[in-house]
Amino acid sequence: MTLVMGILNVTPDSFSDGGRWDTADAAIAQGIRLAEQGADLVDVGGESTRPGAQRVEPDEEIARVVPVVRALTERGIAVSVDTMRAATAAASLEAGATLINDVSGGLADPAMVAVVADAGCDYVAMHWRAHSTQMDGLDRYDDVVAEVRDELAARVDALAAAGVDPARIILDPGLGFSKVGPSNWPLLADIPGWAGDARVLIGASRKRFLGAAIEREGRDASAASRDHATTAVTTLAAERGAWAVRVHDAGAARDAIAVVSAWQNADHTQE
């Protein structure tokens, strides 16, 4: 069954909920809520990757993330960490995290590969072309599915050559990253086309391309209004066998996945 990864942004500037959980106590309480709502993993991030976001200092990212990771794991909650930095990844694994979710797929910090290889942990490698301040200008594709496939395959090859177990690598197409609008939909429509047989993480929650899809006269399409659209993506991703979905609303995702499972496992011979 598809897993739910609940988003926990310990930042003042994330695009949807920046500032809501930017203290350790608030973040810990929200992480507990996400787990209670049905999140299988709580994904803790200390640096916004929204379009145009500026990077934070490494020590600041660690200070934001590690106390939250430690507190949640001490409560038995499974935690992943959303980071591009090897130092943050290493400190988070030491604090109890079990998965590193790297939006750069190891490109932003060459030292990341050794940390992941040494830890033997699961690792999300996302399709990535540039940091947040530059990425929108790189939404240039002749065939987005083929190009994402090839660029992700190159990352997997590099990671494996550096000692990362390929079975530990989870692929993420990077929805919204160097993909401003229409480029996102073919990646959702043809998951096997870019992922092959790999485990897949889908992170569409509240993103701009969903807002564009539901926008109409008189309709609020801001980030906070995109949860129903996100749940639709969750449902379709679960139906197509995604390993996990990364969402803000863990309860809605858990319900959607349960319905997909009940539908798929229904006994059609019963009257």
Side-chain angles (χ1 to χ4, degrees), residues 240-270:
R240 285 157 176 76
W243 171 76
V245 290
R246 184 176 182 273
V247 296
H248 294 84
D249 188 338
R254 174 55 61 211
D255 289 348
I257 292 164
V259 169
V260 170
S261 179
W263 187 316
Q264 291 177 328
N265 293 308
D267 183 355
H268 71 279
T269 63
Q270 292 183 353

Side-chain angles (χ1 to χ4, degrees), residues 74-161:
E74 286 176 351
R75 289 166 170 79
I77 296 170
V79 172
S80 58
V81 173
D82 175 8
T83 184
M84 293 181 277
R85 288 194 173 96
T88 304
S92 299
L93 292 165
E94 179 68 23
T98 59
L99 179 151
I100 300 302
N101 178 18
D102 181 356
V103 300
S104 80
L107 289 169
D109 184 348
M112 178 69 84
V113 181
V115 170
V116 173
D118 290 345
C121 63
D122 277 354
Y123 178 70
V124 176
M126 196 191 80
H127 177 259
W128 185 85
R129 287 183 165 180
H131 286 290
S132 299
T133 52
Q134 302 167 297
M135 65 184 183
D136 281 359
L138 296 176
D139 181 16
R140 299 190 295 268
Y141 303 92
D142 293 322
D143 182 335
V144 66
V145 172
E147 290 172 56
V148 168
R149 176 198 65 209
D150 292 347
E151 291 171 35
L152 282 173
R155 294 310 307 144
V156 171
D157 288 346
L159 291 163

